[in-house]
Amino acid sequence: MDERLEGARKALRHAHSIAVLTGAGISAESGIPTFRGPDSLWQNYRPEELATPQAFARNPQLVWEWYDWRRGLIAAAAPNPGHHALVTLAERAQELTLITQNVDGLHDRAGSSGVLKVHGDIWDLRCMNCRRVVRDTRVPLPELPPRCACGGMLRPGVVWFGESLPQDVWAAAETAVSRSDVFLVVGTSAVVYPAAGLIDLARDSGVVVIEVNIADTTYSRSVDFALHGPSAAVLPALL
Ligand code: BV8
Ligand code: ZN
């Protein structure tokens, strides 16, 4: 592991432009369950059952109970040394773009700025009627489903399965990865697309890829440096 760590450190040190992609694994040590791990969020449900427009149309109350529960977990959690290490890395790097699949907002709370949230933000609510987006960080929400001033029903401001990603955010993420010298992929099972496709884009663009994960993923054998360990320990060690 340490010669890989040394190699990854060197690549980061010589990088002009760095892109980072994070998944639920970086928030695991903040006490937020991941999506597909043993203690997963989806334990009693399958993702397609809750994180889809169909599920919300069928049972907005159930979907909102799940999101309200997650918002409570996130509000009680704090960024961990992994989130903070990425803030430090951004300060040291000439250029760093942080792309996250997470909707928990922990990168912002750690002090990261300009975070590209490709799957949206759990603290944003979007009106199904007038499309307005309101930011509401109250936990728990006073009523479920929450209502817009226009009377319409508000939905979580996140991207569900079958929904397209915010185009401007996604385009910025692709550009950042294809222009980077090093792509650091942290805590993602890389099963959800198009986000996971950023790793293919990096490889096709000749970018050095570093993966930080406690387990192997389908990409582990093809990245330049696969660092096995918890991100709250490995990221600070990378610095
Ligand atoms: C799209 C937001 C098309 C909501 C999320 C069938 C039906 C419908 C769609 C599809 C389908 N088959 C394929 C698709 C496409 C689908 C997809 O990829 N499905 C997968 C499951 C096969 N994708 C989509 O639907 C996307 N949209 O394709 O649109 C389209 C195109 C044009 C026009 C119209 C439509 C939208 C995908 C976004 C879905 N939204 N979340 C919410 O959060 O509630 S996805 C959800 O999974 C989260 O965002 C999460 O971030 C993401 C990925 O999961 P991970 O972050 O990787 O988390 P996971 O638990 O899986 O893994 C954790 C990892 O961390 C593990 O590897 C673990 O080892 C590691 N780890 C754990 N602890 C640590 C650690 N690592 C380091 N340290 C630790 N301590
Ligand atoms: Zn409205």
Side-chain angles (χ1 to χ4, degrees):
M1 159 73 167
D2 42 18
E3 76 284 348
R4 269 188 261 179
L5 191 63
E6 200 32 58
R9 269 204 207 105
K10 213 163 94 219
L12 283 171
R13 235 193 330 267
H14 294 106
H16 166 74
S17 162
I18 299 169
V20 184
L21 172 68
T22 61
I26 196 168
S27 296
E29 286 154 285
S30 296
I32 298 173
T34 61
F35 286 83
R36 296 167 186 85
D39 61 347
S40 86
L41 274 175
W42 311 95
Q43 200 88 51
N44 22 12
Y45 297 106
R46 282 164 23 78
E48 286 72 15
E49 278 171 11
L50 288 184
T52 68
Q54 294 75 11
F56 187 70
R58 200 170 45 244
N59 190 340
Q61 180 73 25
L62 173 68
V63 174
W64 259 117
E65 279 166 11
W66 185 55
Y67 278 93
D68 204 40
W69 170 71
R70 286 173 63 191
R71 285 161 53 105
L73 278 185
I74 294 164
N80 64 60
H83 296 102
H84 292 296
L86 292 180
V87 177
T88 308
L89 184 59
E91 287 158 356
R92 289 186 189 169
Q94 280 144 300
E95 218 177 78
L96 184 141
T97 304
L98 176 51
I99 305 155
T100 189
Q101 299 171 88
N102 301 339
V103 298
D104 58 32
L106 287 185
H107 285 304
D108 304 72
R109 283 172 52 192
S112 291
S113 55
V115 181
L116 296 180
K117 298 175 184 141
V118 295
H119 292 163
D121 187 330
I122 203 165
W123 300 113
D124 283 346
L125 313 181
R126 188 166 72 240
C127 181
M128 304 287 278
N129 178 43
C130 72
R131 322 290 305 155
R132 182 181 328 159
V133 175
V134 295
R135 189 159 181 75
D136 186 333
T137 57
R138 288 176 297 171
V139 287
L141 282 167
E143 64 159 331
L144 295 179
R147 289 274 160 199
C148 172
C150 82
M153 185 191 305
L154 293 168
R155 60 163 278 179
V158 301
V159 178
W160 281 329
F161 288 102
E163 293 189 319
S164 51
L165 279 55
Q167 278 319 304
D168 47 343
V169 177
W170 178 245
E174 286 188 307
T175 305
V177 170
S178 55
R179 290 184 48 251
S180 66
D181 305 305
V182 174
F183 186 36
L184 178 58
V185 181
V186 185
T188 183
S189 59
V191 299
V192 173
Y193 285 83
L198 291 171
I199 308 170
D200 300 303
L201 173 63
R203 275 201 334 238
D204 299 346
S205 314
V207 179
V208 172
V209 182
I210 301 167
E211 181 186 56
V212 175
N213 200 311
I214 54 170
D216 262 343
T217 68
T218 47
Y219 288 93
S220 300
R221 263 184 312 291
S222 61
V223 300
D224 298 272
F225 302 99
L227 308 180
H228 284 139
S231 46
V234 174
L235 290 178
L238 259 183
L239 290 185

